[in-house]
Amino acid sequence: MLLVFNLSKYHHRTQLIMSDFDAVLPSWATFEKDATGNGGEVLTRLFKAHPGTQKLFPKFVGIAEADLAGNTAIANHGATVLKKLGELLRAKGDHSATLKPLAASHAKTHKIPVENFNLISEIIIKMMAEKAGLDAAGQAAMRKIMGTLIGDMAGFYKELGH
């Protein structure tokens, strides 16, 4: 049986199916086991590839590029990012209750442009392929899932006037 979800009034008509989650969650479980190590590396890669993003994190602004890798505060924040993303993934499309407050904090308090979520998504997908064996089909499914999450987040940003 094929279950199809039209998950939100916000996203651009992308429909997720259970097989999208089935393609991603086994690799995610492996990837998330080292949330601190992988999370720190995700943020380090983000800051190196897109230096402007580091400025969006006041507590990381003064950290030199050479000192990003292995920085405990960055690793801990990266773990928080991955754990929250894991919660969203495990919701298998029923993510509004988790995503809405996350969008509110990132729009109002942290002032993170919604476009930056596309940047970190690509880094996460690449690292999942490298470290957790996410194959091409899984990468496509993860892009589809992340596109929906980011689209829904953009809708919440718009509701908040951002």
Side-chain angles (χ1 to χ4, degrees), residues 28-45:
W28 180 260
T30 300
F31 189 68
E32 191 180 26
K33 279 182 187 172
D34 184 12
T36 303
N38 287 331
E41 189 172 341
V42 163
L43 290 180
T44 297
R45 289 186 187 193

Side-chain angles (χ1 to χ4, degrees), residues 35-97:
T36 303
N38 287 331
E41 189 172 341
V42 163
L43 290 180
T44 297
R45 289 186 187 193
L46 175 67
F47 297 158
K48 286 183 177 182
H50 307 281
T53 59
Q54 187 175 347
K55 295 175 185 148
L56 299 171
F57 297 82
K59 62 185 177 182
F60 303 147
V61 169
I63 301 172
E65 183 176 314
D67 298 327
L68 293 171
N71 180 286
T72 303
I74 290 173
N76 288 339
H77 188 74
T80 299
V81 169
L82 294 187
K83 288 175 185 174
K84 186 56 72 174
L85 179 54
E87 187 179 330
L88 291 164
L89 292 172
R90 286 185 292 277
K92 295 183 178 182
D94 186 17
H95 56 252
S96 290

